[in-house]
Amino acid sequence: MKIETTNHSASKRIKLIKIKEQELDKLIFSFNKHNITSLEYKPFSRFSLAKSVDDVFSGELSKVLNTILKDRNTGTVVIQPDIKNSKFDKDFLAKLSTALAYLVGLPNFDSMSEKYYARFHVNHSDSSDSYLRKAYINMDLHTDGTYVKEKTDWLLMTKMEEINVKGGESVLLHLDDWEHCEEFSSNPVGKQNFAWGSPKSKNVDYKVEHPVFFKDEEGKPTISYIDQFPEPKNMEQGLFLQRLSDALEESKNKIVLPLSPGSTIFLNNYFWLHGRRPFKKDVNLSRELLRIRGVFFLSI
Ligand SMILES: [Fe+2]
């Protein structure tokens, strides 16, 4: 089968891969050879799952994903499987997400879930200590992995299920589309080391130090930033972060991306920022998400 890639209607920087029902049917056989527990316990089984998915697409899927994710002009792909039929359940989506991740690289250990992936709900009420599960508060633009030692090259988010959901759209911003990129990335404060910690629920018991802005091999700016976790050491750093936060949120070039249940956003974590709009209030609101974050294979 051939992979068809189109531009997403929201932006030509975002590619869209639709997987039809008859194509999903061809994945069922290889998916049935694995269950979620064996995928969790045996890392090699995730590679064979991914290979079997790539084989269904004549080896093209891994090439297409790697090309999009590493291309500075794109860097984001939405994978939209046609899952209207109930045989494509949440286990199916977890396996598809695993396969997609292992076609480009290795997931980092997710301390929050203590697995290679994390599944979590956003509901009406929440008593947690971060913005991740606060449904009615805007989740500001950020990158992932700011407070861990591991590199986070890419991020994959799959919408597993949605009930009584209005609002809560994904918001994305490509660094090269941000009006203030040059101003902030060349500011000496942005190159200083900041201290980054995290709240208890993240299960990370250390702090790291790194700047907000880096340069890639071609000298282009990259960003590692989230509003909640940097711990400014002085007035200069505190005010820089406030101005940075305001300048990101005020950008006119943010992309608002509704995402149908079952779909995956797969993005480069160095030059794409992501966030979420608030949900409309509903006591029965429920969204389940799966995320995997990781690094690219070195050999590709
Ligand atoms: Fe995030």
Side-chain angles (χ1 to χ4, degrees):
M1 283 189 300
K2 271 193 80 70
I3 287 286
E4 255 182 65
T5 310
T6 57
N7 289 338
H8 195 283
S9 58
S11 166
K12 64 178 188 324
R13 290 197 185 277
I14 303 174
K15 300 294 167 186
L16 175 65
I17 296 175
K18 287 187 180 175
I19 309 182
K20 299 186 191 92
E21 187 174 340
Q22 62 265 37
E23 294 169 333
L24 294 175
D25 277 338
K26 299 204 170 118
L27 303 180
I28 289 175
F29 178 74
S30 43
F31 280 16
N32 282 344
K33 285 190 282 185
H34 303 274
N35 60 53
I36 299 297
T37 309
S38 70
L39 289 170
E40 286 178 2
Y41 288 0
K42 295 188 287 187
F44 66 76
S45 66
R46 303 170 210 155
F47 289 84
S48 69
L49 175 81
K51 178 70 169 68
S52 62
V53 171
D54 210 26
D55 287 345
V56 167
F57 295 101
S58 317
E60 288 300 308
L61 185 56
S62 53
K63 287 187 195 140
V64 167
L65 292 175
N66 275 283
T67 302
I68 296 170
L69 289 170
K70 291 172 185 171
D71 180 354
R72 177 86 184 197
N73 293 315
T74 57
T76 290
V77 55
V78 172
I79 297 103
Q80 194 178 300
D82 183 1
I83 53 151
K84 284 192 297 291
N85 193 308
S86 59
K87 66 186 164 190
F88 306 118
D89 57 7
K90 288 197 224 173
D91 276 4
F92 184 93
L93 291 174
K95 290 174 190 177
L96 182 59
S97 302
T98 299
L100 294 170
Y102 274 84
L103 289 178
V104 305
L106 286 181
N108 292 335
F109 179 73
D110 196 312
S111 308
M112 193 174 86
S113 61
E114 302 190 311
K115 293 178 177 141
Y116 72 90
Y117 68 94
R119 274 172 74 165
F120 54 92
H121 283 88
V122 182
N123 294 119
H124 170 70
S125 57
D126 172 69
S127 57
S128 72
D129 53 9
S130 85
Y131 286 115
L132 185 64
R133 278 162 284 190
K134 300 260 180 280
Y136 305 124
I137 301 176
N138 193 67
M139 191 196 279
D140 287 357
L141 288 166
H142 65 279
T143 61
D144 274 16
T146 53
Y147 56 88
V148 295
K149 290 174 186 156
E150 295 87 5
K151 271 168 26 113
T152 307
D153 294 341
W154 49 262
L155 162 69
L156 175 158
M157 288 169 290
T158 298
K159 190 181 282 182
M160 304 290 276
E161 186 182 58
E162 216 165 54
I163 301 162
N164 297 312
V165 166
K166 284 209 179 73
E169 300 91 348
S170 299
V171 181
L172 300 175
L173 178 65
H174 191 295
L175 212 47
D176 296 344
D177 295 337
W178 180 37
E179 301 87 334
H180 301 283
C181 184
E182 174 56 29
E183 176 195 336
F184 279 90
S185 64
S186 61
N187 187 318
V189 185
K191 296 171 195 162
Q192 288 178 6
N193 261 345
F194 284 73
W196 305 75
S198 55
K200 225 172 172 315
S201 65
K202 306 290 183 189
N203 295 329
V204 174
D205 61 0
Y206 57 80
K207 289 182 186 183
V208 294
E209 291 223 334
H210 63 76
V212 173
F213 289 98
F214 300 81
K215 294 251 190 261
D216 69 10
E217 291 113 47
E218 289 170 21
K220 292 189 173 148
T222 62
I223 187 167
S224 178
Y225 166 76
I226 188 165
D227 54 348
Q228 199 182 348
F229 307 144
E231 297 168 3
K233 293 173 193 153
N234 51 41
M235 185 63 80
E236 188 180 46
Q237 289 196 347
L239 296 182
F240 176 82
L241 290 169
Q242 181 67 64
R243 287 199 299 119
L244 171 63
S245 169
D246 294 343
L248 284 169
E249 290 308 307
E250 284 164 15
S251 174
K252 302 268 182 292
N253 296 327
K254 289 190 283 191
I255 299 161
V256 178
L257 199 69
L259 197 66
S260 56
S263 297
T264 296
I265 301 183
F266 205 171
L267 56 80
N268 187 303
N269 191 50
Y270 292 119
F271 52 84
W272 275 100
L273 295 121
H274 62 279
R276 187 187 65 218
R277 279 187 163 178
F279 292 78
K280 298 259 182 311
K281 213 162 200 162
D282 189 322
V283 288
N284 297 312
L285 158 79
S286 176
R287 173 183 287 175
E288 185 180 3
L289 290 159
L290 178 149
R291 76 167 178 218
I292 307 179
R293 312 187 270 215
V295 293
F296 290 119
F297 290 129
L298 289 175
S299 56
I300 293 176

